[in-house]
């Protein structure tokens, strides 16, 4: 055999040969894609259980999350329990990370009793319970909205497990208190954290800021939280600023909101869709439509595309002012950008155009709704209603 022949043979034999690792990767990828494409949920459950027999498949957290999410959306809680309980027959259940995954998935599905049972079973499965397990159970409690259990778990379990709550533990319970509407309790956790030597992080402060600013009722407390964040040398991010923008807009302090946007830019923090939406909503509520439109134009000029909330805020406000030509222009952009909005928002524009004797424009909008490929809107001319 010539030298060239040996080189060619070696090249082609190498390119087509598959190692066990390569074959395994291809198999897992194929099975994962099959699960994502499967529309029949009963077959999805069966395929998932079969795939779980492969060791490497059980490391694919994303596939687990998506499968459980789909079943939860369809309210197939019995099948969620079927696939997650089936996981407990594998040796992986003796690893805390794997058990935590099951607890978390149960929690996200609102199945707290199953999450708690999985947590309680860990010792008999020779699985260590650390603060990670505690946090998973706390998270399951919050996600399942079992707020009556939250305080009990947080106060009693750490000593039983001989672990100390960390920043993640406190962030979870702060979120839980906020969801309960117990803002004073949530705020008190900042003092408790510092007392116990746990340093609040950006998530801690953003959780509090979102709640105190979002309600638009406790901005004075929000300013104190911001000051504490700065004192801890925690650098605010776009979410921090957005919370503050929402609060200012809710109280129609729009000049302050605009200055805050300028401060963001000076800090090198780029405004996102939530930033622009807060300003647009604030100016709409303040009946300053020129300013609202100006910020909409700035939004379009940036890399930040208007979303459903943008149009759901701006279109009704424009209609309220009787500017149905602008409303039509915005509706055309909704179709062009393939944004899904409430049909009532579009119907209001149709009705307004007819009232303004702009019959052809109204008919055009009705036809656009019918022919829209992304989502067809059943819009009607007032005479057809």
């Amino acid at each position: 055999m010539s030298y060239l022949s040996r080189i060619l043979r070696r090249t082609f034999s190498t390119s087509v040969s598959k190692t066990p690792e390569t074959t395994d990767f291809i198999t897992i990828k194929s099975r994962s894609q099959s699960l994502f494409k499967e529309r029949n949920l009963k077959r999805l459950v069966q395929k998932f259980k079969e795939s779980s027999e492969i060791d490497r498949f059980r490391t694919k957290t994303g596939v687990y999350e998506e499968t459980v999410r789909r079943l939860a959306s369809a309210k197939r809680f019995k099948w969620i329990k079927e696939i997650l309980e089936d996981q407990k027959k594998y040796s992986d259940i003796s690893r805390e990370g794997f058990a935590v995954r099951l607890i978390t998935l149960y929690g996200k599905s609102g199945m707290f009793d199953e999450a708690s049972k999985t947590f309680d079973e860990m010792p008999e499965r020779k699985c260590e319970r650390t603060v990670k397990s505690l946090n998973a159970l706390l998270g399951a409690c919050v996600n399942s909205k079992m707020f009556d259990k939250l305080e009990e778990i947080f106060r009693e379990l750490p000593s039983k497990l001989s672990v100390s709550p960390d920043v993640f533990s406190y962030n979870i319970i702060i979120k839980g208190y906020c969801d309960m509407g117990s803002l004073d309790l949530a705020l008190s956790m900042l003092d408790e954290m510092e007392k116990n030597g746990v340093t609040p992080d950006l998530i801690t402060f953003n959780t509090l800021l979102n709640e105190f600013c979002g309600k638009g009722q406790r901005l004075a407390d929000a300013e104190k939280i911001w000051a504490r964040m700065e004192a801890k040398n925690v650098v605010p991010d776009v979410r921090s600023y957005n919370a503050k923008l929402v609060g200012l807009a809710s109280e129609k302090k729009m000049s302050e909101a605009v200055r805050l946007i300028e401060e963001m830019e000076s800090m090198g923090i780029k405004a996102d869709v939530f930033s622009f939406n807060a300003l647009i909503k604030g100016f709409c509520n303040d009946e300053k439509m020129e300013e609202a439109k100006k910020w909409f134009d700035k939004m379009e000029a940036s890399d930040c595309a208007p979303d459903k909330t943008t149009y759901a805020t701006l279109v009704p406000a424009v209609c309220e002012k009787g500017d149905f030509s602008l409303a039509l222009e915005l509706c055309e952009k909704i179709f062009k950008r393939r944004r899904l909005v409430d049909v009532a928002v579009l119907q209001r524009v149709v009705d307004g155009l007819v009232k303004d004797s702009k019959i052809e424009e109204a008919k055009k909008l009705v036809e656009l709704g019918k022919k829209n490929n992304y989502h067809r809107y059943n819009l009607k001319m007032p005479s057809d209603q």
Side-chain angles (χ1 to χ4, degrees), residues 289-303:
M289 295 311 302
E290 286 299 320
E291 286 296 315
K293 181 62 168 57
K294 183 182 81 173
W295 283 99
F296 176 80
D297 292 340
K298 284 187 178 183
M299 188 181 195
E300 285 201 307
S302 71
D303 295 330

Side-chain angles (χ1 to χ4, degrees), residues 193-347:
M193 290 175 78
E194 294 178 0
K195 179 182 175 183
N196 293 329
V198 179
T199 303
D201 62 9
L202 185 58
I203 293 173
T204 315
F205 288 111
N206 279 351
T207 302
L208 290 167
L209 286 170
N210 281 329
E211 196 65 26
F212 281 82
C213 293
K215 302 301 181 190
Q217 298 171 349
R218 301 189 60 171
L219 290 186
D221 287 316
E223 287 297 335
K224 293 176 184 176
I225 293 167
W226 190 280
R228 291 181 73 162
M229 179 171 64
E230 291 181 330
K232 289 290 181 184
N233 294 318
V234 176
V235 179
D237 65 359
V238 68
R239 292 185 178 183
S240 316
Y241 279 101
N242 285 346
K244 208 169 182 180
L245 282 169
V246 167
L248 291 171
S250 68
E251 295 206 344
K252 299 182 181 179
K253 296 181 177 179
M254 298 313 299
S255 58
E256 291 182 42
V258 171
R259 284 199 296 272
L260 194 63
I261 284 280
E262 293 169 353
E263 181 183 323
M264 287 172 63
E265 292 174 352
S266 69
M267 296 279 290
I269 298 173
K270 191 174 181 180
D272 64 11
V273 64
F274 301 102
S275 315
F276 284 109
N277 283 347
L279 283 172
I280 291 169
K281 184 175 182 180
F283 280 119
C284 285
N285 289 343
D286 205 18
E287 298 186 3
K288 294 180 178 177
M289 295 311 302
E290 286 299 320
E291 286 296 315
K293 181 62 168 57
K294 183 182 81 173
W295 283 99
F296 176 80
D297 292 340
K298 284 187 178 183
M299 188 181 195
E300 285 201 307
S302 71
D303 295 330
C304 184
D307 66 0
K308 174 182 177 180
T309 301
T310 316
Y311 292 109
T313 300
L314 192 54
V315 174
V318 168
C319 290
E320 195 67 32
K321 287 294 183 181
D323 191 349
F324 290 100
S325 295
L326 176 56
L328 175 61
E329 180 186 325
L330 292 170
C331 289
E332 290 173 343
K333 290 182 177 183
I334 288 172
F335 296 134
K336 184 178 180 181
R337 293 181 182 275
R338 302 176 67 180
R339 295 291 182 254
L340 184 63
V341 300
D342 191 328
V343 67
V345 171
L346 301 176
Q347 186 63 54

Side-chain angles (χ1 to χ4, degrees), residues 39-72:
R39 298 296 98 191
N40 185 296
L41 295 182
K42 190 171 184 179
R43 283 200 298 268
L44 173 67
V45 169
Q46 190 56 41
K47 285 183 178 181
F48 188 92
K49 290 168 68 176
E50 290 171 0
S51 298
S52 296
E53 295 173 4
I54 304 172
D55 291 349
R56 193 164 177 179
F57 178 86
R58 298 195 299 275
T59 67
K60 302 302 177 183
T61 304
V63 182
Y64 276 68
E65 290 181 348
E66 177 60 16
T67 302
V68 170
R69 184 199 64 77
R70 288 177 59 192
L71 292 173

Side-chain angles (χ1 to χ4, degrees), residues 48-212:
F48 188 92
K49 290 168 68 176
E50 290 171 0
S51 298
S52 296
E53 295 173 4
I54 304 172
D55 291 349
R56 193 164 177 179
F57 178 86
R58 298 195 299 275
T59 67
K60 302 302 177 183
T61 304
V63 182
Y64 276 68
E65 290 181 348
E66 177 60 16
T67 302
V68 170
R69 184 199 64 77
R70 288 177 59 192
L71 292 173
S73 295
K75 301 189 184 305
R76 297 294 192 268
F77 302 111
K78 181 179 178 181
W79 288 346
I80 292 174
K81 185 172 182 178
E82 182 177 334
I83 64 172
L84 295 186
E85 290 301 307
D86 186 62
Q87 304 298 307
K88 295 177 181 179
K89 69 185 181 185
Y90 300 110
S91 60
D92 307 61
I93 196 61
S94 63
R95 292 188 290 105
E96 187 180 24
F98 192 79
V100 161
R101 186 197 304 176
L102 301 188
I103 293 168
T104 301
L105 289 172
Y106 271 134
K108 287 181 177 179
S109 305
M111 302 170 70
F112 179 74
D113 288 343
E114 286 76 10
S116 182
K117 178 174 175 285
T118 303
F119 178 86
D120 292 339
E121 292 170 347
M122 289 174 68
E124 65 189 67
R125 298 183 186 281
K126 296 180 172 53
C127 185
E128 182 184 15
R129 293 187 298 185
T130 70
V131 70
K132 292 180 182 179
S133 312
L134 169 66
N135 292 344
L137 188 61
L138 286 170
C141 194
V142 173
N143 286 326
S144 301
K145 301 189 184 303
M146 297 293 289
F147 300 126
D148 57 323
K149 300 274 188 184
L150 188 62
E151 179 81 14
E152 176 187 340
I153 292 171
F154 185 71
R155 296 301 177 195
E156 296 181 7
L157 263 184
S159 59
K160 290 181 181 178
L161 298 177
S162 298
V163 301
S164 298
D166 59 12
V167 66
F168 301 104
S169 314
Y170 280 103
N171 286 346
I172 294 167
I173 196 164
I174 286 172
K175 178 67 167 63
Y177 284 146
C178 286
D179 289 351
M180 290 166 61
S182 302
L183 302 191
D184 290 323
L185 277 175
L187 189 55
S188 71
M189 286 297 105
L190 275 181
D191 294 326
E192 184 171 326
M193 290 175 78
E194 294 178 0
K195 179 182 175 183
N196 293 329
V198 179
T199 303
D201 62 9
L202 185 58
I203 293 173
T204 315
F205 288 111
N206 279 351
T207 302
L208 290 167
L209 286 170
N210 281 329
E211 196 65 26
F212 281 82

